Amino acid sequence: MDFRWEIISEYLPFFMRGLGYTILASLIGFLVGALIGLVIGMGKSLSNPILRLPFIWYVNIFRGTPLLVQIFLIHFAVMPIFIKPPEPLISLIVALALNSAAYIAEIFRAGINSIDKGQREAAYSLGMNHAQVLRHVVLPQAFKRMIPPLGNEFIVLVKDSSLGAVIAAPELFYWGRVAVGAYSRVWEPYLAVAVLYFVVCLVLSYVQSFLERKYATDDQRKKPKKVVRRSRGAAGH
Amino acid sequence: MISVKNLKKSFGDLEVLRDINVEIEEKEVVVVIGPSGSGKSTFIRCLNRIEDITGGHVYIEGTDISQRKVNINKVRTDVGMVFQQFNLFPHKTVLENIMLSPMVVRKWKKKDAEEKALSLLRKVGLEDKAGVFPESLSGGQKQRVAIARALCMEPKVMLFDEPTSALDPEMVGEVLEVMKQLANEGMTMIVVTHEMGFAREVGDRVLFMDGGYIVEEAKPEEIFSNPKEERTKAFLSKVL
């Protein structure tokens, strides 16, 4: 089998433009998803079970159905209500945002819950209100623990954005399929596309571990310390 | 200063505090002792409503904090608390730990907060640790920083919830020393502790709790040399 490099070089400008849209759609989807996820995560932590319900079911529904199905529903059923005809790239971004919000909500919630309740108690005992406790004590510590799962989520999102090809959103995989169609050759375009996704995800995983190290100041270095309780004093206490 | 009337606290079906009544005067040092599970930690945690109050009333300088509508954050600025597990903020330096609340809650200027924080660190003997993170401190040092942090809000009363129970034995002394000094300066203090020496030496009054009640209260010399109640006798015979 001869490998026809000229196919790749001819389509490289399209692949690069597609890659740009892939990154754009993933990034916007992730950022919007993070905002929605924050709200959902907080909603899921509400003490009132009735108010909590919609947030719980948001997560259930978006985690419990395939992203591809969500993309089709959003592009062909929901978006036509707002935009006629629906714009594939926008539909893709909306789907990625709504879908990632469900996962990010869980990441936020787990991160916040992982902070020892003594931290909150100490902050409240000093007179801080809920917002101040979150802003100055809980979130800075929780954020550090959220970096690894958030990084994973973003990498997953970049790869999942390739599903946009089926609604003709002009992202990287879409251009791969176009090249395949034009030349009736599968190896060159698909391999080129795979390599480009791989490079982006590799770079992202390095960025992720850089951020982890950057923010791992005190918490990470701290080894779990055994608490020595005094045996003197009340017996059995 | 603090008045507790018919205080009750339950966790689900478990009644931890059944009927607590006590008055605490300004500048008084009240030491709370009792066996494990007697409700003494829950009691002190109700005094700044870190624990929700199930029934009865707790008046802090006339404000009934058992009422939902009370601005509890405002009351808490006057009630300092020191925890068994220190609960220093690990992402902030020692100095930042102390300055945080005065700046955020009291809206002090950074310069004023820093000045006050440094003077408090001097007071607890940890001036040289201002720039380090809590993880590098020993338990005793952490607890002294926690005391300084609470004091920086200039509270009118200090609550100590087993402040030395998580410490290695050789570090207990340095923390008790700071507390003693604070008592001598006239701070109103409520201290849950197993340190009977501290209770005897520094306490103005000792409350013995058992089964969710204050079983006996008296001056330390009385309760330690001549306890009236059987349960107090039994407890003291084990710990003294």
Side-chain angles (χ1 to χ4, degrees), chain A residues 116-130 132 136-138 140-141 144 217-219 221-223 225 227-230 232-237, chain B residues 36 40 45 48 50 73 76-77 79 81 83-85 87-92 100-101 104-105 133 135 142 149 153 162 164-168 172 194-195 235 239:
Chain A
D116 182 51
K117 93 178 186 340
Q119 290 288 308
R120 246 164 290 196
E121 289 180 357
Y124 282 126
S125 81
L126 289 162
M128 289 187 218
N129 61 33
H130 295 299
Q132 290 163 339
H136 295 284
V137 177
V138 176
Q141 296 184 63
K144 250 182 274 180
T217 46
D218 23 86
D219 251 38
R221 284 205 310 268
K222 191 163 72 180
K223 302 220 164 52
K225 240 173 144 183
V227 174
V228 183
R229 300 201 89 186
R230 302 197 63 213
R232 232 175 70 194
H237 189 93
Chain B
S36 180
K40 51 196 192 308
R45 287 162 60 87
N48 64 352
I50 286 291
N73 299 323
R76 284 174 182 153
T77 60
V79 183
M81 188 166 206
F83 300 84
Q84 181 178 347
Q85 298 298 341
N87 297 341
L88 293 179
F89 307 133
H91 58 302
K92 299 202 172 283
L100 178 65
S101 202
V104 168
V105 179
F133 284 92
E135 50 150 355
K142 281 182 193 166
R149 180 176 69 177
M153 289 297 284
E162 301 203 28
T164 59
S165 297
L167 298 179
D168 286 338
V172 171
H194 295 299
E195 294 296 328
F235 174 74
V239 299

Side-chain angles (χ1 to χ4, degrees), chain B:
Chain B
M1 164 111 221
I2 297 178
S3 172
V4 179
K5 291 199 163 70
N6 310 110
L7 172 63
K8 288 181 183 57
K9 170 68 187 176
S10 305
F11 294 100
D13 291 336
L14 183 70
E15 272 186 84
V16 178
L17 300 179
R18 288 163 199 272
D19 187 15
I20 302 286
N21 292 282
V22 66
E23 303 281 324
I24 291 156
E25 302 300 323
E26 214 179 318
K27 301 196 173 188
E28 204 180 7
V29 177
V30 174
V31 178
V32 185
I33 61 172
S36 180
S38 59
K40 51 196 192 308
S41 274
T42 306
F43 164 62
I44 201 171
R45 287 162 60 87
C46 283
L47 297 183
N48 64 352
R49 220 171 80 189
I50 286 291
E51 213 68 77
D52 278 324
I53 294 166
T54 309
H57 303 276
V58 174
Y59 298 91
I60 306 287
E61 295 210 302
T63 307
D64 184 359
I65 62 166
S66 68
Q67 300 303 308
R68 275 271 127 212
K69 61 180 189 297
V70 161
N71 181 354
I72 189 68
N73 299 323
K74 180 86 177 53
V75 176
R76 284 174 182 153
T77 60
D78 289 332
V79 183
M81 188 166 206
V82 174
F83 300 84
Q84 181 178 347
Q85 298 298 341
F86 329 122
N87 297 341
L88 293 179
F89 307 133
H91 58 302
K92 299 202 172 283
T93 64
V94 163
L95 193 68
E96 288 166 349
N97 259 276
I98 304 176
M99 289 162 58
L100 178 65
S101 202
M103 285 170 62
V104 168
V105 179
R106 293 239 196 258
K107 311 288 179 206
W108 288 4
K109 288 201 181 67
K110 189 174 179 205
K111 195 173 134 283
D112 299 333
E114 195 171 307
E115 214 167 284
K116 173 84 180 170
L118 282 170
S119 81
L120 284 166
L121 277 177
R122 244 192 313 279
K123 180 173 172 163
V124 300
L126 291 170
E127 226 182 328
D128 53 326
K129 301 288 186 190
V132 310
F133 284 92
E135 50 150 355
S136 65
L137 301 179
S138 73
Q141 290 171 332
K142 281 182 193 166
Q143 197 59 300
R144 285 188 279 157
V145 171
I147 293 172
R149 180 176 69 177
L151 288 177
C152 206
M153 289 297 284
E154 303 183 330
K156 294 177 182 148
V157 52
M158 287 282 284
L159 310 175
F160 291 85
D161 185 8
E162 301 203 28
T164 59
S165 297
L167 298 179
D168 286 338
E170 73 269 24
M171 291 166 185
V172 171
E174 60 192 68
V175 172
L176 292 182
E177 202 48 53
V178 170
M179 291 167 62
K180 214 177 288 180
Q181 188 190 341
L182 205 54
N184 290 338
E185 288 167 10
M187 175 62 79
T188 311
M189 291 165 58
I190 300 165
V191 184
V192 172
T193 189
H194 295 299
E195 294 296 328
M196 297 303 152
F198 177 85
R200 200 192 293 260
E201 196 183 335
V202 184
D204 294 313
R205 191 153 44 121
V206 174
L207 308 183
F208 171 70
M209 284 185 67
D210 192 18
Y213 294 100
I214 295 175
V215 175
E216 186 166 354
E217 59 171 293
K219 289 195 180 312
E221 54 267 32
E222 275 173 49
I223 206 162
F224 287 120
S225 56
N226 186 22
K228 304 246 178 330
E229 302 286 332
E230 280 310 313
R231 276 189 284 178
T232 319
K233 283 180 199 164
F235 174 74
L236 288 175
S237 72
K238 276 189 219 143
V239 299
L240 288 179

Side-chain angles (χ1 to χ4, degrees), chain A residues 79-106:
Chain A
M79 293 309 281
I81 303 171
F82 306 102
I83 310 169
K84 276 185 194 140
E87 164 62 43
L89 197 62
I90 293 176
S91 299
L92 176 63
I93 291 172
V94 169
L96 292 177
L98 293 178
N99 181 271
S100 65
Y103 291 91
I104 293 173
E106 289 300 288

